[in-house]
Amino acid sequence: MTLSILDLAPIVSGGTAAEALRNTLDLARKAEGYGYRRYWLAEHHFAPGVASSAPAVLIALVAAATSTIRVGSGAVQLGHQTPLSVVEQFGLIDALHPGRIDLGIGRSGQRRAELAVSAGFESKPAEIVDGLLIPPPFDWSRLAKHPHLAHYATLLQQPGAQTPDFADQIDDVLAFLHGTHDAHAVPGEGAAVQVWILGSSRGQSAQVAGERGLPFVANYHVSPSSVLEAVEAYREAFKPSTELAEPYVIVSADAVVAEDEVRARELAKGYDLWVRSIRTGAGAMPYPSPAEADAHVWSDAERELVQDRVDTRFVGSPRQVADGLRVLRRVTGADELLVTTITYEHDDRVRSYELLAEAWNHQ
């Protein structure tokens, strides 16, 4: 199976974190039965609608609740932790679930700091590349400069802490795992943990993944306008390593599947409002019900804020979504796709993944 799952443990309107976490465990068990290759957990902080704030803890719980599916992070934000602490956490999980753990790493905190001081934003028109929509880019610098984010960044690190260069941090992670560091990570050293780098642009994440010969995840669902650039930069920088002889790419996507398109679009309601909450700097809100979504009156500026995410979400019948995802895979040259599905009702989310797996396996 070349489909995997990225789960944020979403909290819905009127729901609780405990319910969201129980839903995650239920979905993971069922996803294993449907044949998905990996089950990854995101890292989000200060988000009222996301329960996945400590991916290593949640990965341990999911790994214990399943038996064969690979479980990992999408992604641990290395700017908030030291390489040693990350390797120890994932080494501990691997000790009890050997050979099943993926360590996906991102540099989100460092990326936000760079964007906050970036000079200028260059917009581009939307284009269709061999059937795949590449929307206009989103101006991340506006969000990165939000005062809430600057305050939150201070809460995620000790006072006065300085985050090292991302490439140096990745080198330390690999050295701890391989036992070539001057200190020993126990547990962690020698763990069969697979290291991944996640990125949204042709910047340092793609470069580091390629130069270290690591597998790479390009975020079409977060930053669809730059997915092709990110994959291209990774492949151009790639050097064979003990981990990989050739580049290996996963591309992420948002999707909602139902028995027919009308039903799928009803289930997909709430996504626009949810993305709006993220992009205004408030943090992901509890996922709204269809009725709450219908009640919101949109301004043109709000629509523009979320349009790239809405237009690049795959919503429809099993065949429609599977066909759309195949286009994404073909155009990006992805080896796997990482699918995120959020609906108000948990049963609808489970059913969406079930229908997608059936359609994908019968292509």
Side-chain angles (χ1 to χ4, degrees):
M1 178 84 131
T2 51
L3 290 182
S4 296
I5 291 175
L6 175 63
D7 183 12
L8 283 65
I11 303 170
V12 301
S13 177
T16 67
E19 291 169 346
L21 296 171
R22 284 193 289 269
N23 288 341
T24 282
L25 296 180
D26 178 67
L27 177 59
R29 294 186 192 101
K30 289 172 179 171
E32 184 173 71
Y34 301 153
Y36 284 90
R37 181 176 290 188
R38 309 173 198 276
Y39 196 98
W40 284 6
L41 289 309
E43 178 181 341
H44 282 262
H45 301 279
F46 313 107
V50 174
S52 183
S53 58
V57 176
L58 196 45
I59 289 165
L61 295 171
V62 170
T66 55
S67 58
T68 58
I69 194 169
R70 294 192 67 91
V71 188
S73 54
V76 166
Q77 302 305 328
L78 203 51
H80 307 150
Q81 302 184 63
T82 66
L84 174 62
S85 66
V86 171
V87 170
E88 287 178 335
Q89 291 166 26
F90 280 74
L92 190 154
I93 303 169
D94 177 77
L96 295 178
H97 307 282
R100 292 179 55 206
I101 306 304
D102 294 329
L103 170 53
I105 299 174
R107 60 185 294 266
S108 177
Q110 297 170 64
R111 175 74 171 150
R112 281 198 302 270
E114 293 169 0
L115 288 169
V117 296
S118 63
F121 167 73
E122 182 180 352
S123 185
K124 298 178 183 178
E127 59 178 325
I128 304 295
V129 178
D130 199 13
L132 179 69
L133 173 62
I134 303 297
F138 174 72
D139 184 1
W140 290 101
S141 64
R142 291 184 298 173
L143 181 57
K145 294 172 184 175
H146 196 287
H148 285 177
L149 297 186
H151 173 58
Y152 293 159
T154 66
L155 300 177
L156 288 167
Q157 289 185 313
Q158 295 292 337
Q162 296 292 321
T163 300
D165 180 73
F166 183 67
D168 293 339
Q169 289 182 297
I170 294 300
D171 288 342
D172 280 345
V173 167
L174 296 175
F176 280 125
L177 286 170
H178 297 159
T180 58
H181 202 282
D182 60 6
H184 300 282
V186 181
E189 187 173 306
V193 172
Q194 189 173 67
V195 178
W196 294 74
I197 306 295
L198 283 77
S200 299
S201 71
R202 62 178 306 115
Q204 191 181 21
S205 294
Q207 294 291 325
V208 169
E211 291 170 357
R212 271 66 176 176
L214 298 171
F216 180 65
V217 183
N219 294 320
Y220 185 67
H221 84 290
V222 171
S223 185
S225 65
S226 55
V227 64
L228 297 181
E229 299 171 7
V231 172
E232 180 184 48
Y234 164 67
R235 292 196 173 109
E236 288 177 349
F238 186 83
K239 298 176 182 177
S241 68
T242 55
E243 279 78 16
L244 284 179
E246 297 178 347
Y248 194 96
V249 174
I250 289 180
V251 172
S252 65
D254 278 310
V256 173
V257 184
E259 282 74 6
D260 58 65
E261 184 179 0
V262 173
R263 175 62 176 160
R265 297 210 170 275
E266 178 68 19
L267 297 181
K269 288 181 178 178
Y271 180 76
D272 318 39
L273 204 54
W274 184 76
V275 172
R276 173 190 171 276
S277 69
I278 298 170
R279 288 191 166 178
T280 55
M285 66 188 295
Y287 198 82
S289 67
E292 289 172 319
D294 285 338
H296 184 77
V297 178
W298 287 84
S299 68
D300 291 342
E302 287 178 325
R303 281 292 178 197
E304 183 181 357
L305 190 68
V306 304
Q307 202 63 53
D308 63 322
R309 293 283 300 269
V310 173
D311 290 346
T312 54
R313 195 186 195 195
F314 298 89
V315 178
S317 68
R319 180 172 180 178
Q320 287 174 311
V321 174
D323 286 348
L325 290 175
R326 289 187 191 108
V327 171
L328 175 64
R329 185 183 179 194
R330 172 174 51 80
V331 175
T332 60
D335 299 282
E336 291 181 44
L337 298 179
L338 185 68
V339 179
T340 297
T341 296
I342 304 178
T343 59
Y344 181 70
E345 296 289 349
H346 174 63
D347 288 347
D348 293 326
R349 187 162 73 123
V350 172
R351 181 61 173 157
S352 177
Y353 279 117
E354 181 182 18
L355 291 171
L356 178 57
E358 290 173 354
W360 193 260
N361 286 331
H362 291 90
Q363 57 186 306

